[in-house]
Structure formats: structure tokens, C-alpha cells
Amino acid sequence: MGPGKTTTRTRRKAVPWLLLGLWVAVLAVVGPFASKLADVQHDRAVDYLPASADSTQVARIEDQLPGGETTELVLVYHRDGGLSAADRTTVARQVAEITERNPLTAPPKGVPSQDGTTLMYPVASSAPGTDEEKRDAFVNDVRDLAQGEDGLSVDVGGPGALATDASEVYNSLGGPLLYTTVAVVALLLILIYRSPLLWLVPLAVAGIADYLSMGVAYGLHQAFGTTISGQSSGVMTILVFGAGTDYALLLISRYREELRRVERPYDAMWVALRGCGPAVLASSGTVAAGLLCLLAADLNSSRGMGPLGALGVLCALVAMLTLLPAVLVLLGRRVFWPLVPAFGSEPKQRRSLFTAMGSSAGRRPLVVLAGGAVLLGTLALGTLNLPGSLKQQDSFVDKPEAVAAMETLAAAYPEQGTQPITVITPTGRADATLAAVRDHQGVVAAERGRTSDGWTEVFVTAKGAPQSAAETATITSLRDDLAGSYVGGPSAEQIDLKDTNARDQLIVVPIVVVSVLLILIVLLRSLIAPLLLVAAVIAVWGATLGIGGLVFGPLFGFEGTDPGLGLLSFVFLVALGVDYGIFLMHRMREESLSGAEPAVAALTALRTTGGVIASAGLVLAATFAVLTNMGLVQLVQLGFVIAVGVLLDTFLVRTYLVTSASVALGRKVWWPGRLSREPEPVPRARQPEPV
């Protein structure tokens, strides 16, 4: 062996160690910031809204008023048979203790219900300000002091208590979400690889990628003010493990294949990276680009989820194309034990499920296409059964104390609203505004609140129940009538969330479609194939929302649909569905370039990539399904729709419909590229004339 070859081999052996060292250095830098991500996470409804919304303006101005933001609570005392004199004594004592221990903006005044069963005490304090920890401490202190006894029940509700209960759910997501995701991915990898060691490698690398994404996400927030919510950080973790494991499955599958043909692991890995690397890069780039289209959204939570989702995908990509290969090469062939791919061996040939599915799709492609279209269209009709917009009190899977208080209030005070509407008006017009509000037909009462040099608060009690059609009409008409003033509060925030989501859907959806189409046109050098893939994933989106309409109310018992579900599910399903489409079409194009006929190329691509794509789809669907075990309805709905959509795309649309359409279209699927044209016939050699 010459000195040149020895030097080359030494350098090759050093590369994996250098990559490991580089990752250790990166994690050492990023590590201190990863632990701070939870500190910049905000989950108030107003944090999700755009700066231009009335509700946001109200919250911003309230922060500037004397004492800062007000935390508003409602103490709800109730006895089914009617409150006794002893009950009222107990209530008075507890309210006095709460007033003594906490700096309230005004002495609490009790409001009895007409039937005598309930006593409501509005309580407000500006001491917590915008500090969520102080708000939670105030709410918990009030709850500790307000205790029921001998059949007297008491619940602490109101906007502040609801925010505390929501914060508790969001704060509890981090650990369970991560542990459940890891457990699900580990189980699937064990089943896929059937190895006691191999499954640990991609799982550990995905965990490192998740840690990296947390540190970079904190940096994005500090540098650009990117909104961090419990929902967006949770989805980022899901994408790191889901997409990262998908890329690992593709790389390891190709690496195992090359180890049978190439003697040294380093060389086999290099060949594997050259073979599947371009497809992985293209697919991850498409997913990231699709998610970044959310930057066009006006809603802060959606706009923040775009870069965080893209960050998760890109961190997973970098880890799986650098750290994973380095670890696999260092561990050598033994990492595959007991199914070690020996050099020169041949894999066992089996008739796969996807070979059988491809054959059936290839025999009658038009029949399969028609049947699939009818099925997807029928499922999409289920969207007509989707429940209306999700109310704030219906957003919890398990009913917290604040929601119990709201339900008691709704039953005991049907003649008036029990959740304040806040009007912020210029101080010079405060008297006129107060008079106009009191004269409004949808208003029961209005009281002046705090005043500063420029603005004055007005607290409004509506006739309609919280988030009812009557209250919504009152808020809308107040906004129309009170020029120069802002109308906010919890119910107004929900109206702004719904309106902004509707606007974002009209703007973001076309941007996503056009962006993904342009990327696919460049990658596949065709117009028809990209249109086919995008049409397929849009059909999956509609069908999956239809399935949601069939189960959300009847099966899950949900009272409403998250207003952001349509947009977020569209972006994720289009981006992730096209991701798998690239793997299939990329292989189909390779087969066509090698001279295979269109039908043969389509069926070969399905046979060779179907197993890996199915495994990847199962992993991705399972990771998103983890969200269905979380405590918030919006997370359950998002996880369900994406998980079902990925499965529908993997096992029906990608397998049968796209393959059948490719067979039916033949070379036209690559129009107007050169693959769409018939190859020129090879001239036959001229036979010599007989002498």
C-alpha cells in the first residue's frame, strides 16, 4: 500500500471524529440558551394577536396605565338549594381576607343571582402587571383563601384565572410531550430495525437536534422578537423527531444497501450520502420553504410557528446528514446486529406489499384514480359537520376551575354577561364615551376604571353571555360606534383571533401553493408532475378535515373547532406531503432517465421507495399523534388532522393515486421536459447485400 493511500485512509478515519468534535463545540455554545426557551414562551390570547388588533391595543395601553396590566378574577360562590346566612358570613370573611392580603384596584362588591343560589364577586389587581409568575401567584393565593365548606362550592374564574389554567397546561406540555415522542419513536424504530442497538442512534441524534433547535429558537427570539408559544415550541419538537427520523430512515436504508457493495463503512456512507442526499436536501428545503410562508400571516402565533417549524426541520437535517453518518461510521457494521449486512451478500428477495399495490394500480390506473377521487371527495364532505369556532372555555380537554366558574355563572346569570368588556378611550372623551356605552342597547352596566394623562378605562357588562352571538354583536357595534376608542377583553380577543385567522388563510394558502409549485417545477423539471403532487396533497387536506368533522363532535365531544386549524393543517400537510412526493418522483425520474418506460418507472419507484416512505410516514404520523394526548383542544385537533393526513397520503394517495396517475399519463407527466418526448429510435445496422 502506497503512502498516498495510507494518508487518504487516515484522513477519512479522522473525518467522523472531527464532526463529533464540532458538534460538541456547537452544543457547548448553544446549551446555555436552550434552557432559557421556556422563559420567553408566552401563551396569553393577546400574545397571539397582531399589533393592529383592537384587543392588542387595549392590552398595550392597559400596561401603561397606573399599576400596569390588571388581572381580573371572579369569585363564584354557589349552593344548589340557595345561599344561607351562614354562607354569606363565610363569603364576607373570605373576601375580607383576600382584600387584606392582596392590593386590589377597588373593594369587591358582591352581585347576587336572581334565584339566590349564587354570589359573584369581581376581584381585580394590578400588582402582577405583565409578569405571568406574579399573576399565577395572585390567582393561586385567591384560590387558597376562597374555600367551600359544608355544601358551599366556590370556584375562581375570570380572565386571569383562565390564563393561569392555560399557562399550567402549556407549561406541563414540555416534559410529557418530549418523553411521549421519544417513547413512540423508539418503539417504531425497534419494530422497523429489529436491532437492540441501531434504533438508539437516530433517536439520540434527534434528541441532540432538538436541543440545538431550542437554543437557536431562543436566539431568534432575542434577535428578531420571534413569538414563542407553547404550541409552536411543541410543534418544533415534533418536527425535529418526526422529520429527523424520516431522514434517518432514508439514509440508513441506503447505507445498509451500500454496505453490501462497498467494503469500508466510510466509503459506503459516502456513496449513500451522494445517492439519497440530494433528495433529502430537496425535500427538507421544500418543507422549510412551505413553513416559512407562515411569515406572511398577520397572527403572531402563526407567524412565529413558521420560522420555528422550519428551524426544527433544518436542525434535524443538519444532524442527520453530519452527526448521524459520523456515529454510524464509527460504530461500523456491528450497529446492525443481528442483521449485519455483509460485504458481497445479497438481501433476501421478498414480494413486498408495495409491489402488489403497485401492480393493482398499474393494471387499471383510471379506475383506481376515479375510485380514489370519489373516496376523497366523500370524506371532504365531512367538513360541513365541523363544529363552529372554539370558545375560550371549551379549549381544555379536562375542565379546569376557571371553566367550571364560567359555567356556573352562565347558568346563574342568564340575563347578563359575566366577563368584562374593556373599552379604552381618550381621556378627553371619557365622559361622552361612558354615556354612549351606558345608552347602548346591548349593555347592562358600564363603570369608569383607571385613568392616565392620555387614556381612560371603561369596564362594560354586556347582556349576552360570554362569546355568544349577542355579546359578539355588542362588541362589534361598540367598535363601530366608538370612533377613536378600542374595545378589548377576552371575548373581543377571540373575535380578533377568528377574523385574523380567516384573513391569513386567504393570503397564506395561495403563497404556499405557488411557492411549493415553483420549487417542484425546478426540482422535477416538469409542470405536470408538480401539479399532480400539489393537487394530491390538497385533496388529502380536504379529506382529512372532513374526517375531523366526523369525529370532533360525535366522538371526541369537542364543542368547537380551533380557528387556526385550517391554515396550520394546510401548511403542514402540503409541506410534508410534498416531502414524500419528492422521494417518489425523484426515484421515478431516475428510472426514466435510465431508459425505463413510464409505467415501469412508476411501479419501480413505488416498489423501491414504498417501504421506506411507509416507515417514515408511520413515524411522522405517530409523532404528531402525540399531540392528541395533550390537554388543549387546539393541539389535539392539529395533531389528529396531521397524523391522519400523513397516513392517508402515505398509504392511499402516494401509493395508489399518484402512481396510477403517473401510469395513466405516461411520458406526459414530465411535460414539457425532455423526458416527455418519445426517445428517438436507434437506427438498425444496414445488412450487407448478398454477393
Side-chain angles (χ1 to χ4, degrees), residues 95-111:
V95 171
E97 290 177 355
I98 291 170
T99 304
E100 182 179 348
R101 285 182 49 169
N102 295 279
L104 304 183
T105 56
K109 296 179 180 179
V111 181

Side-chain angles (χ1 to χ4, degrees), residues 68-370:
E69 181 185 14
T70 299
T71 299
E72 298 168 347
L73 306 179
V74 179
L75 279 64
V76 183
Y77 291 91
H78 175 82
R79 184 184 290 275
D80 289 338
L83 295 170
S84 64
D87 291 337
R88 297 179 187 279
T89 301
T90 299
V91 172
R93 174 175 50 80
Q94 292 185 358
V95 171
E97 290 177 355
I98 291 170
T99 304
E100 182 179 348
R101 285 182 49 169
N102 295 279
L104 304 183
T105 56
K109 296 179 180 179
V111 181
S113 64
Q114 289 185 356
D115 61 7
T117 63
T118 309
L119 189 58
M120 170 178 67
Y121 270 88
V123 173
S125 174
S126 59
T130 57
D131 190 315
E132 294 184 12
E133 290 187 3
K134 290 182 179 179
R135 177 203 65 199
D136 295 345
F138 169 58
V139 172
N140 291 328
D141 183 65
V142 171
R143 283 176 169 169
D144 289 341
L145 293 173
Q147 297 291 327
E149 54 187 43
D150 299 328
L152 173 68
S153 68
V154 56
D155 293 309
V156 177
L162 198 64
T164 293
D165 290 340
S167 177
E168 182 178 346
V169 174
Y170 274 115
N171 291 337
S172 69
L173 292 181
L177 179 67
L178 178 60
Y179 305 146
T180 308
T181 302
V182 170
V184 168
V185 173
L187 177 61
L188 289 174
L189 288 177
I190 291 171
L191 294 175
I192 291 169
Y193 288 134
R194 291 171 290 169
S195 167
L197 176 61
L198 181 57
W199 65 274
L200 278 169
V201 179
L203 190 64
V205 173
I208 292 172
D210 184 48
Y211 194 65
L212 172 66
S213 69
M214 292 169 63
V216 179
Y218 177 80
L220 282 177
H221 173 79
Q222 295 299 103
F224 304 105
T226 303
T227 300
I228 309 291
S229 67
Q231 186 181 51
S232 61
S233 61
V235 168
M236 181 180 70
T237 292
I238 292 290
L239 281 171
V240 170
F241 279 91
T245 306
D246 284 0
Y247 303 147
L249 286 168
L250 291 165
L251 177 62
I252 292 174
S253 175
R254 189 63 176 263
Y255 177 52
R256 187 201 297 266
E257 182 181 333
E258 297 302 334
L259 281 173
R260 300 181 187 278
R261 294 195 287 259
V262 181
E263 182 177 2
R264 295 184 177 88
Y266 180 93
D267 297 329
M269 178 59 74
W270 180 244
V271 175
L273 284 170
R274 286 190 299 174
C276 70
V280 171
L281 286 169
S283 61
S284 60
T286 304
V287 175
L291 293 174
L292 286 174
C293 291
L294 282 170
L295 287 170
D298 200 23
L299 202 65
N300 280 340
S301 55
S302 297
R303 192 167 64 247
M305 188 175 290
L308 255 66
L311 172 64
V313 170
L314 295 178
C315 285
L317 172 72
V318 172
M320 294 305 168
L321 292 186
T322 58
L323 181 58
L324 178 63
V327 174
L328 289 174
V329 168
L330 291 174
L331 292 175
R333 297 176 187 270
R334 60 185 176 273
V335 73
F336 290 95
W337 186 88
L339 304 175
V340 178
F343 174 57
S345 64
E346 291 291 335
K348 292 182 180 180
Q349 298 297 327
R350 298 189 183 98
R351 179 174 171 79
S352 69
L353 170 65
F354 293 95
T355 301
M357 297 173 78
S359 299
S360 63
R363 283 194 300 269
R364 295 183 177 180
L366 294 179
V367 174
V368 172
L369 270 177

Side-chain angles (χ1 to χ4, degrees), residues 24-67:
V24 170
V26 169
L27 292 177
V29 173
V30 173
F33 303 107
S35 59
K36 296 181 179 180
L37 185 63
D39 298 338
V40 296
Q41 176 180 310
H42 297 286
D43 292 298
R44 298 184 306 167
V46 73
D47 293 323
Y48 284 45
L49 290 167
S52 59
D54 258 32
S55 301
T56 310
Q57 294 297 323
V58 168
R60 181 182 62 80
I61 295 171
E62 280 189 315
D63 292 346
Q64 300 170 0
L65 291 176

Side-chain angles (χ1 to χ4, degrees), residues 427-442:
T427 299
R429 278 188 274 168
D431 292 337
T433 298
L434 186 61
V437 171
R438 285 173 173 168
D439 289 341
H440 195 282
Q441 62 179 1

Side-chain angles (χ1 to χ4, degrees), residues 543-557:
T544 309
L545 281 182
I547 295 173
L550 298 176
V551 302
F552 284 166
L555 185 61
F556 294 162

